Amino acid sequence: MAPLPGEKRNSHGKLKIILGVSTALLVMVIIVAIALTVRAKNVRTKSDQNDANIEAAVMLKRYSYESVKKRTNSFAHVLGKGGSGTVCKGKLPDTSGRDIALKILKESKGDGEEFINELASMSRASHVNIVSLFGFCNEGSNRAIIYEFMPNGSLDKFIELYKFISKTMSTKMDWKVLYNIALGVAHGLEYLHNSCVSKIKQRECHILAKRERDCRVHCS
Ligand SMILES: Nc1ncnc2c1ncn2[C@@H]1O[C@H](COP(=O)(O)OP(=O)(O)OP(=O)(O)O)[C@@H](O)[C@H]1O
């Protein structure tokens, strides 16, 4: 049965309403999608700028947690443990592949401002008798500091080993070696004391041995 003229007008009207609503919905979806894309881009740009600002402030390279985890073989080789974290051996996540000691800080709270400020003051200390900083990682609660690797570890253990070797080989300890170690450490401490890096003066310092005659002050 053919539709009555009134029914036909009615279904045309319904179609127009459906088309109108669908077009409005489509336009809304497009606007929301564009707004979300622009917002995500702004957030990304802001976070990139933030990363660049942090790197500039601390004058150190920032590495991702993933890259340091990979280059320390998932923190497999533990060198030692301190009050604030664990130190692992690894390689610098760059093409140099230099040996590093990575200090993974215990789960840390806060927005990391204090961590960044401390890194900034530590990174300003540069001296031949101070253990160098190579970089850092700051991803949420995953925070780590990358130091140059000191193959002979802490000086007290190195001296013990040196004493042991001298004893077993019936040789005398070379006082020149000890004198050079003491001189290097004194130079490092003197630099820290007289440099303008005020915050470092309040830090705990240890002596680590790189080679027989090359010991450096390590501020952790
Ligand atoms: N750069 C490094 N190279 C080689 N070994 C290291 C290095 N840094 C630390 N270690 C080893 O890890 C151990 C712990 O170092 P860490 O800096 O955590 O000591 P700490 O000063 O007692 O720590 P904290 O200040 O957190 O109490 C050291 O005694 C040393 O054996």
Side-chain angles (χ1 to χ4, degrees), residues 79-85 87 101 103 131 147-150 153-154 157 204 206 208 218 220:
L79 294 167
K81 281 185 186 179
S84 58
V87 183
K103 181 159 187 170
V131 175
Y147 296 97
E148 73 172 308
F149 175 61
M150 302 291 285
S154 58
K157 285 190 192 125
E204 201 178 306
H206 298 276
L208 296 176
H218 166 62
S220 57

Side-chain angles (χ1 to χ4, degrees), residues 25-161:
L25 276 177
L26 190 69
V27 170
M28 265 169 67
V29 168
I30 292 172
I31 290 172
V32 169
I34 292 173
L36 285 178
T37 314
V38 170
R39 193 164 171 263
K41 210 173 161 193
N42 281 345
V43 169
R44 235 185 354 254
T45 316
K46 254 191 185 167
S47 119
D48 285 353
Q49 273 171 357
N50 209 12
D51 284 0
N53 288 345
I54 290 173
E55 279 193 23
V58 303
M59 297 184 294
L60 290 172
K61 179 113 182 67
R62 181 180 184 151
Y63 295 95
S64 71
Y65 182 72
E66 203 45 50
S67 67
V68 293
K69 188 175 172 193
K70 199 169 159 197
R71 300 293 270 158
T72 53
N73 213 357
S74 297
F75 318 115
H77 185 160
V78 174
L79 294 167
K81 281 185 186 179
S84 58
T86 305
V87 183
C88 302
K89 189 181 174 197
K91 298 264 179 207
L92 197 64
D94 67 1
T95 47
S96 75
R98 271 186 289 188
D99 284 334
I100 55 159
L102 178 86
K103 181 159 187 170
I104 310 139
L105 301 178
K106 281 182 186 161
E107 195 148 310
S108 24
K109 294 185 185 92
D111 60 2
E113 202 182 316
E114 199 182 325
F115 171 62
I116 296 300
N117 287 341
E118 288 197 7
L119 265 184
S121 63
M122 281 158 73
S123 68
R124 283 188 198 105
S126 168
H127 189 273
V128 66
N129 298 111
I130 305 286
V131 175
S132 302
L133 277 177
F134 287 164
F136 69 103
C137 162
N138 184 26
E139 275 181 25
S141 60
N142 293 322
R143 289 178 196 145
I145 307 175
I146 304 175
Y147 296 97
E148 73 172 308
F149 175 61
M150 302 291 285
N152 288 304
S154 58
L155 180 62
D156 53 341
K157 285 190 192 125
F158 176 65
I159 299 273
E160 280 307 312
L161 183 74

